Amino acid sequence: MATYSFERREYLEDVIESQGFFVTNDYGRKIPCGIVKIGENSEAFEKAKKTAIFAVDKQNEKLKNSSKLELLKIININFEPTAGAIYYITLAAMDFSCGKIHHYQAKVLEKINTGYKVETFQLAPYVPKFSEYEEEKNGCIRINNLQDWMDENYLYYKCCYIFKKLVSVEVIKDEETGKSMGYGFLNFKNHSVAMEFAERNKGKPMPNSNQIYSLVFGKN
C-alpha cells in the first residue's frame, strides 16, 4: 500500500510540475486518461511523430522566413487518451534566426472529427532566454556519470526543479549518434546557488536511481 501511494504521489507531482511533459513512472496506466510516455518502438510513436511535425509546421506559419524552425529530433512524447488524444512533445529544432539548436515543448490536441490543434508551443524551461546567456556562466556545475535515460527533462524536473534560480540544463551528446556522452551542465544564476545545490546533494543518490551525484564546478 505504501508503494502504491508513493507511485501515485510521485506521478501526480511530475504531471503537475511539468504540465504533462514529464513522467517517471507508469502509474498513469493505472488510471483512466492517465498520461504515459510513448516508447520509440511502439506503434503509437509513429503516429505521434506526425503531431510533432504538425506542431512545428504551425509554428513556422507564425514566423518570418528568417526565423523558421527545422525539426531535428523528438526527445520525448507523452500521451493522454481523451475523446481524441493529447500529445505532450519535447523536440529539438534548429532555429535559423540564431543558428542554434533548441529544445521546445508542444502540446497538441487530437480531436476525432476536427484533427490536430496546437495548444502550446514554447521553449523548454531549461533553455536559457537570450538575456540569461551571460548569467549561466556564473554558476556552472558539470554533472558526470549520467545514465543513457537521464536527459534534460529528467535533470530539470527531478533534480533541479526546486531551485528557481536555475538558468539552463544541457546534456552533452555525440554529434554523430545523438546519444548522451554521460555528462552535462547545470547552470545557475550565481555561484552561491550552485554551491547550495552541490552541498545539498553531495553523496546522495540521484532521483529514481542508485547513481550518486558526481558534481564538479566549472565547464571543464
Side-chain angles (χ1 to χ4, degrees), residues 131-154:
S131 61
E132 296 175 325
Y133 275 106
E134 287 301 316
E135 289 182 345
E136 69 173 348
K137 299 177 183 178
N138 299 327
C140 178
I141 293 179
R142 172 170 169 153
I143 182 165
N144 297 311
N145 302 330
L146 297 178
Q147 298 177 30
D148 291 343
W149 56 270
M150 294 177 173
D151 60 8
E152 286 89 349
N153 273 327
Y154 166 79

Side-chain angles (χ1 to χ4, degrees), residues 2-56:
T3 301
Y4 176 84
S5 298
F6 173 77
E7 286 182 353
R8 182 177 187 276
R9 184 174 70 251
E10 182 184 40
Y11 168 80
L12 291 175
E13 287 175 352
D14 288 344
V15 169
I16 292 170
E17 291 172 355
S18 71
Q19 297 182 320
F21 288 98
F22 180 74
V23 291
T24 54
N25 64 42
D26 287 333
Y27 188 85
R29 301 184 189 279
K30 301 177 182 178
I31 58 178
C33 298
I35 298 175
V36 297
K37 182 175 181 177
I38 298 177
E40 291 188 20
N41 297 323
S42 69
E43 293 182 7
F45 190 83
E46 288 302 314
K47 182 178 181 181
K49 283 171 62 176
K50 296 179 181 179
T51 67
I53 295 170
F54 176 84
V56 173

Side-chain angles (χ1 to χ4, degrees), residues 71-88:
L71 176 62
L72 300 178
K73 183 181 180 181
I74 294 174
I75 308 298
N76 185 75
I77 296 180
N78 292 341
F79 172 78
E80 180 180 2
T82 59
I86 302 176
Y87 297 92
Y88 302 86

